[in-house]
Amino acid sequence: MAKIAVYFPGIGYHGDKPLLYYGRKIACEQGYQEYRNMKYTYQAGNIRGNAEKMQEAYEVLFSQAEAQLADMVWADYEDVLFVSKSVGTIIAASYAKKYGLGRARHILYTPLAQTFRFAPEQAVAFIGTADPWSDTEEIIRLAEGNHIPITVYEGCNHSLEGDDTLKNIENLKDVMQRTRDFCKGGL
């Protein structure tokens, strides 16, 4: 069975940071040997809390992802996995919707509220209660409303980290175990 994983990072959270780095390793171990890492460039400064800048960032980044995936023949794959972080969750979900990839499965690390406008169908999500980019309760409601299992990490920020390094490592292990289970078809 042909499998591919596509990684959609956030603006400041690139593919070599823990969630995406280990998420990629876990997916590879589960048979997603072929993968694509999206890379973006965007220099508009702090966009948090500014709807206009956020929309502009989304459009610029979506266009870059589209260009990087222009050669993809999705029909060649029986299993498509989108792994995304922050604004990348919006890009992945909207890309799947635009290109009719309802069969794509999504791992949503710290999704933003706008992600759920594109209603990813097969997904799992992770959020922290101290995430300055999201209203955690709203994200939980949106995930549940879309029938997306969500795991919430107490006191964790937008990187799913808090003040205790060893606790962060425990949380990362939990996230990766859940990521592995989802890759296997569970959750």
Side-chain angles (χ1 to χ4, degrees):
M1 171 165 66
K3 296 171 131 181
I4 189 166
V6 182
Y7 297 86
F8 297 84
I11 292 175
Y13 199 99
H14 54 77
D16 289 333
K17 291 213 173 193
L19 295 169
L20 294 175
Y21 174 81
Y22 287 111
R24 186 172 56 250
K25 290 183 128 347
I26 292 286
C28 282
E29 290 171 6
Q30 300 308 311
Y32 295 90
Q33 296 295 319
E34 188 175 343
Y35 61 87
R36 295 271 183 110
N37 291 318
M38 298 299 96
K39 292 190 169 119
Y40 318 122
T41 54
Y42 186 72
Q43 305 298 325
N46 190 1
I47 63 173
R48 185 172 61 207
N50 185 324
E52 186 177 306
K53 277 188 173 181
M54 185 63 158
Q55 182 62 32
E56 177 185 303
Y58 161 76
E59 290 171 8
V60 168
L61 300 178
F62 184 87
S63 176
Q64 291 176 30
E66 238 179 354
Q68 292 173 63
L69 296 171
D71 65 333
M72 290 299 303
V73 180
W74 297 108
D76 290 349
Y77 300 94
E78 296 171 55
D79 191 342
V80 176
L81 178 68
F82 285 173
V83 182
S84 55
K85 169 75 175 81
S86 187
V87 71
T89 65
I90 306 169
I91 296 163
S94 62
Y95 183 91
K97 188 151 194 100
K98 179 176 180 178
Y99 288 94
L101 296 173
R103 63 188 171 82
R105 298 181 325 123
H106 295 263
I107 297 173
L108 307 168
Y109 296 131
T110 65
L112 302 180
Q114 297 91 325
T115 304
F116 299 97
R117 287 190 304 202
F118 302 101
E121 294 175 24
Q122 301 176 71
V124 63
F126 303 87
I127 194 80
T129 60
D131 187 334
W133 281 83
S134 295
D135 174 339
T136 304
E137 294 305 316
E138 177 186 23
I139 297 299
I140 293 168
R141 275 192 312 277
L142 291 167
E144 289 173 350
N146 282 277
H147 309 290
I148 295 171
I150 186 164
T151 303
V152 181
Y153 295 91
E154 190 64 38
C156 289
N157 63 20
H158 198 54
S159 296
L160 294 180
E161 297 177 337
D163 295 332
D164 182 334
T165 302
L166 293 179
K167 181 65 175 165
N168 293 339
I169 293 169
E170 285 177 29
N171 288 343
L172 181 61
K173 181 179 179 182
D174 185 68
V175 172
M176 290 306 123
Q177 287 173 327
R178 292 172 188 274
T179 295
R180 182 192 61 211
D181 292 346
F182 186 76
C183 287
K184 286 180 175 179
L187 295 183

